[in-house]
Amino acid sequence: MQNAIDASPAGRAVLVEVRSDGLHGCIDVVDTGSGMSAEFVRSALFKPFVSTKPGGFGIGAFEARELVRAMRGRLDVESREGLGSRFSVRLPLAVTATLSHPHSQQDVA
């Protein structure tokens, strides 16, 4: 969220959409910033200590992706230079764990 706010011009909205998609929950964050080139997204966005922001540490996107992966989810990025970016987080819903591991929860009597 903070990166989207920082990337967008002052006073411009950042869209946050939360929805369910089957057995997954999805969160989209869309900004109206300057966007990123396809090459940057592909080769540098998720590399630690690489940043386009002045004074940026370049660990936010990397940490976000690793956290989402640790929760068995996915982080996708769509970006167009001059238009902005969309970061989409897709995570399994809690019910998914029960369905994929039916014996993971103990019966409570």
Side-chain angles (χ1 to χ4, degrees):
M1 286 292 302
Q2 189 61 53
N3 282 350
I5 293 167
D6 292 346
S8 296
R12 296 291 301 265
V14 171
L15 172 69
V16 178
E17 180 183 5
V18 179
R19 65 190 186 318
S20 62
D21 180 16
L23 296 176
H24 294 86
C26 302
I27 305 164
D28 292 341
V29 178
V30 183
D31 69 52
T32 55
S34 58
M36 300 171 282
S37 71
E39 176 61 26
F40 181 82
V41 171
R42 186 173 40 259
S43 64
L45 177 61
F46 295 109
K47 285 189 177 176
F49 311 113
V50 175
S51 179
T52 59
K53 292 196 307 188
F57 291 108
I59 56 175
F62 171 77
E63 285 186 330
R65 184 186 66 182
E66 294 307 303
L67 180 59
V68 168
R69 283 180 173 174
M71 293 185 289
R72 297 182 334 204
R74 205 168 95 188
L75 174 61
D76 294 317
V77 180
E78 298 173 45
S79 190
R80 294 218 175 151
E81 290 180 283
L83 294 177
S85 302
R86 173 187 301 265
F87 282 74
S88 300
V89 176
R90 182 178 171 91
L91 298 169
L93 296 172
V95 70
T96 305
T98 304
L99 293 174
S100 61
H101 304 290
H103 302 292
S104 64
Q105 292 186 350
Q106 299 292 329
D107 291 337
V108 179

